[in-house]
Amino acid sequence: MYELSTDICNMKELRAADISAYDAIYLGEYACPKYPNNFSSHPEQLQQGVELVKSLDKKCYLRLYAVPDNRDLTWVREIIEEAMRLPFDALEVHNMGLLRVLKEMNCPLPIHLGVFGNLYTHVTAKVLKEYGVERVYPNPELSLKEIVYIEENADIDVLVPVHGKIPLVISETCFIVENSDRKPDDCGFLCSEEYWLKRDDWTLKDLGRMTVSGKDLCMIEHIDELVKMGLGTFFIESSHENVDYIGTVGGIYKEAFTAAFNGERVLDNTAWLEQLGAFARMGLCNGYYFEGAGQKYSGGTSVWSNC
Amino acid sequence: MVELLAPAGTREMAFAAIEEGADTIYVGPLGWSRRPYESELTDDEIREVIDFAGIHGKQVRVAVNTYPSPFEEDLFIKKIEQYALWGATGFMLTDIGTMARIRRILPDTIIHVSVGSGITNSRDAQFYRDLGADMIVLPYRWGVTEIAETREITDIGIEVFLFETIQTGKICPGKCIMSSYLKFRDWTEMEGKNYFFGSANRGAKECYRVCQTFWDFTPKNTDTIEVKLRKDACLMLDQIPEYIRQGVTCFKISGRERPTEIIRDLVRFYRRVIDGIMEDTHPDVSDYHPEMEVFQHRWVSEKRKRLGTLMGRADSYAAMGKAASGQ
């Protein structure tokens, strides 16, 4: 009927999180290879990760490092080789060079294009299909209308994020370490705490190698619309959130989607909004889905409309 | 042959750059080249500039380096075909699908992969070569090692911005949508696009360079500091001779949004530097250091002014937005 997925970076979080609401899990954190025991950079962690997810009868995808330089390609290749021996359902790739490497390696796994793959058009999606790409995560700047157009005209599966912080920038170096007395090789996992960038009423959250939206994308008031548009592959961004977030947010959206796909109309979503809002320190937004700047909350009935 | 590629944010800048010895200039059509309208040209102006360059035996490339909306894909291709017909010799592009289409339609045109494509490794360069691209831009974090590694596996040309590479901070062309997350505004009247929205990546809107303004940031166990998200890039000089030896064939001055005077002076300067190296009459670039210092000072001061203008606009739109929503 539909697929709801999220991302989990390492074994510790995978064991701790309640993932019962999800149909599929993206393993790994694609921005920072130094994140402790990150699936994306630790081949020895892959087997137990994929086995746990598959034992719960869910699909399991692996996220590859998004911005590899020439030296990184060596270890990323080792991750791919290990993944090819295991029952992964797909690899997520953000980088065109890696797409080419995967083709050379005759990798039989389906490929999902990651958010930093800069997918803006159906014609690009068509070219990427020749490289084995079966699913794309469109650039967050696209509107729902454009996403639907791409899905129909390129005949490709489109991943639609419905909740969580929007990835805005990825960098090959860590901003948090650069502004500390730590060295890149001994970062002390500074990003385990929260960091915010503020300028007047603008707020961004800094994860070190990535900057994400200050506000949480929230589509809970638009579930029926998404379903009516024919979309069916949904995603919750959980990167650098705590395990409660993964369980609670997933649970809410599962309930909402199940109702919508069964044709039931949810009349009061106040309780959901309150719960989701409680996780969102800087408020909620709708991203770019309704043709406005990403941090706007446009439409819907809730108090967030004034944001 | 080493090509000196110069910006033409206005007709005047185009004429000045050609007069001072640029081999090629690049222009951006209104709404299609990631700059505010005042640094882009109308189609009539582009045609005029192409004619002027032709008379002087120079070339014009057109930066159409926005990511088009899927809805404007065909219009995008049509515009490019028109510029080629007028005599543009090449295009700066980002969108992969568009690039593949242009290669099929215009087999002889020169395709530059815009820095906005976000290349990080030599395999990326190979990927774009397979698509039919002719040139990539040296990514901000690369140096001679990466140039050599790339040239080992592909014959794609390498274009270098005349900036020194930087290793830290958020320097992420093609991997950043911060600006449009915070604020964007329509320029539909100026650009004739009334169906369009998005960031500078997508045209029609400006990037506020939010990475280059000051933000409050609180590192662990210390007080809040004011930081820029990236360092200012310095103009390049010392690396040029080695880059030429490594096979770099195109040096690009950026700055369509700068005043014509500084671009005119920079074209004249870099023409002299490159000719001195190529003709072996002045291979030691260290003699130019005092001149470079003056340029650097001018460049940074112009850049600050520009940033002030952009942030001022962003703030005024934010105020307008609030007024409109009654806050």
Side-chain angles (χ1 to χ4, degrees), chain B residues 200-259:
Chain B
N201 286 353
R202 317 195 67 193
K205 310 293 178 289
E206 39 195 14
C207 170
Y208 297 119
R209 306 294 161 102
V210 295
C211 57
Q212 292 168 47
T213 190
F214 285 100
W215 289 80
D216 290 337
F217 180 71
T218 314
K220 198 175 176 181
N221 305 326
T222 50
D223 294 335
T224 299
I225 51 171
E226 279 206 322
V227 282
K228 285 186 182 184
L229 308 187
R230 53 169 286 189
K231 281 187 193 157
D232 287 333
C234 296
L235 290 166
M236 180 193 288
L237 177 65
D238 292 337
Q239 293 90 336
I240 297 175
E242 182 58 24
Y243 281 178
I244 292 177
R245 273 193 291 279
Q246 293 290 337
V248 169
T249 52
C250 178
F251 288 96
K252 175 176 174 180
I253 300 171
S254 72
R256 273 185 284 156
E257 62 275 44
R258 305 269 177 270

Side-chain angles (χ1 to χ4, degrees), chain B residues 4-283:
Chain B
L4 180 60
L5 182 57
T10 58
R11 286 161 65 250
E12 293 69 35
M13 198 186 292
F15 303 150
I18 286 168
E19 279 160 9
E20 295 299 341
D23 301 298
T24 307
I25 55 168
Y26 64 97
V27 297
L30 273 176
W32 304 82
S33 80
R34 298 180 178 232
R35 285 292 181 282
Y37 64 92
E38 67 267 28
S39 312
E40 297 184 322
L41 303 189
T42 64
D43 283 355
D44 286 345
E45 289 173 325
I46 290 175
R47 191 165 192 176
E48 187 187 348
V49 163
I50 291 173
D51 289 344
F52 182 86
I55 291 166
H56 291 80
K58 309 289 182 176
Q59 298 183 43
V60 177
R61 307 269 154 80
V62 184
V64 257
N65 53 352
T66 52
Y67 284 105
S69 164
F71 302 131
E72 65 178 355
E73 177 66 25
D74 289 337
L75 178 57
F76 199 95
I77 299 283
K78 245 185 241 165
K79 280 182 91 83
I80 290 173
E81 281 185 291
Q82 185 187 51
Y83 301 135
L85 197 68
W86 289 345
T89 54
F91 299 91
M92 285 84 172
L93 300 169
T94 37
D95 188 67
I96 289 166
T98 311
M99 216 177 280
R101 278 184 80 184
I102 294 296
R103 182 76 296 162
R104 282 194 298 272
I105 298 166
L106 302 169
D108 299 324
T109 204
I110 298 165
I111 296 179
H112 297 241
V113 180
S114 164
V115 72
S117 291
I119 286 177
T120 59
N121 59 63
S122 301
R123 294 308 198 111
D124 283 322
Q126 262 183 330
F127 175 91
Y128 285 103
R129 189 64 179 141
D130 293 346
L131 276 185
D134 300 288
M135 309 278 282
I136 58 159
V137 173
L138 186 79
Y140 279 62
R141 296 183 206 271
W142 282 22
V144 283
T145 312
E146 287 80 7
I147 294 175
E149 286 167 354
T150 303
R151 290 186 55 83
E152 253 172 49
I153 58 169
T154 167
D155 64 347
I156 200 159
I158 296 177
E159 168 188 336
V160 171
F161 279 6
L162 285 160
F163 290 127
E164 293 190 351
T165 49
I166 304 177
Q167 297 304 321
T168 59
K170 299 189 182 295
I171 308 159
C172 323
K175 303 196 184 301
C176 175
I177 53 168
M178 276 195 293
S179 186
S180 65
Y181 168 72
L182 297 165
K183 195 77 207 162
F184 66 69
R185 135 162 234 206
D186 294 307
W187 285 109
T188 49
E189 277 178 31
M190 284 305 206
E191 287 145 6
K193 290 184 177 191
N194 55 9
Y195 55 90
F196 199 74
F197 54 90
S199 72
N201 286 353
R202 317 195 67 193
K205 310 293 178 289
E206 39 195 14
C207 170
Y208 297 119
R209 306 294 161 102
V210 295
C211 57
Q212 292 168 47
T213 190
F214 285 100
W215 289 80
D216 290 337
F217 180 71
T218 314
K220 198 175 176 181
N221 305 326
T222 50
D223 294 335
T224 299
I225 51 171
E226 279 206 322
V227 282
K228 285 186 182 184
L229 308 187
R230 53 169 286 189
K231 281 187 193 157
D232 287 333
C234 296
L235 290 166
M236 180 193 288
L237 177 65
D238 292 337
Q239 293 90 336
I240 297 175
E242 182 58 24
Y243 281 178
I244 292 177
R245 273 193 291 279
Q246 293 290 337
V248 169
T249 52
C250 178
F251 288 96
K252 175 176 174 180
I253 300 171
S254 72
R256 273 185 284 156
E257 62 275 44
R258 305 269 177 270
T260 296
E261 298 71 47
I262 190 167
I263 298 301
R264 176 198 300 276
D265 294 348
L266 279 172
V267 172
R268 186 187 302 146
F269 173 71
Y270 279 120
R271 178 79 274 163
R272 198 150 41 93
V273 172
I274 290 170
D275 288 349
I277 299 166
M278 296 307 288
E279 293 158 12
D280 210 23
T281 51
H282 202 140

Side-chain angles (χ1 to χ4, degrees), chain A residues 66-71 73 77 94-101 104 116-118 120-124 127-128 131 139-143 145-146 149-150 166-173 175-176 178-180 188 190 193 195-204 206 208-211 213-215 285 288 291-296 306-307, chain B residues 67-71 73 95-98 100-101 116-128 130-131 141-142 145-146 149-150 167-172 174-184 195-202 208 210 213-220 222 225 227-230 311 314-315 318 322 325 327:
Chain A
V67 282
D69 66 20
N70 284 349
R71 264 139 297 284
L73 287 175
R77 200 181 253 272
H94 300 242
N95 174 264
M96 300 306 136
L98 263 186
L99 272 188
R100 203 179 183 282
V101 168
E104 274 175 25
F116 287 104
N118 277 330
Y120 282 83
T121 63
H122 56 296
V123 287
T124 292
V127 172
L128 298 182
Y131 285 82
N139 188 288
E141 290 191 307
L142 296 191
S143 67
K145 275 185 214 154
E146 289 175 319
Y149 185 89
I150 290 172
I166 307 166
L168 300 175
V169 194
I170 190 165
S171 165
E172 298 94 324
T173 60
F175 185 76
I176 297 170
E178 283 165 8
N179 286 287
S180 74
L190 292 172
E193 295 189 22
Y195 296 85
W196 303 90
L197 287 162
K198 294 189 178 187
R199 184 185 179 277
D200 301 327
D201 57 350
W202 288 353
T203 306
L204 303 168
D206 204 88
R209 305 260 191 147
M210 256 214 289
T211 309
S213 60
K215 298 177 184 179
C285 68
Y288 303 74
E291 310 182 356
Q295 65 169 340
K296 279 171 98 173
N306 292 326
C307 289
Chain B
Y67 284 105
S69 164
F71 302 131
E73 177 66 25
D95 188 67
I96 289 166
T98 311
R101 278 184 80 184
S117 291
I119 286 177
T120 59
N121 59 63
S122 301
R123 294 308 198 111
D124 283 322
Q126 262 183 330
F127 175 91
Y128 285 103
D130 293 346
L131 276 185
R141 296 183 206 271
W142 282 22
T145 312
E146 287 80 7
E149 286 167 354
T150 303
Q167 297 304 321
T168 59
K170 299 189 182 295
I171 308 159
C172 323
K175 303 196 184 301
C176 175
I177 53 168
M178 276 195 293
S179 186
S180 65
Y181 168 72
L182 297 165
K183 195 77 207 162
F184 66 69
Y195 55 90
F196 199 74
F197 54 90
S199 72
N201 286 353
R202 317 195 67 193
Y208 297 119
V210 295
T213 190
F214 285 100
W215 289 80
D216 290 337
F217 180 71
T218 314
K220 198 175 176 181
T222 50
I225 51 171
V227 282
K228 285 186 182 184
L229 308 187
R230 53 169 286 189
M311 290 315 296
D315 287 343
K322 274 184 189 164
S325 64
Q327 284 181 24

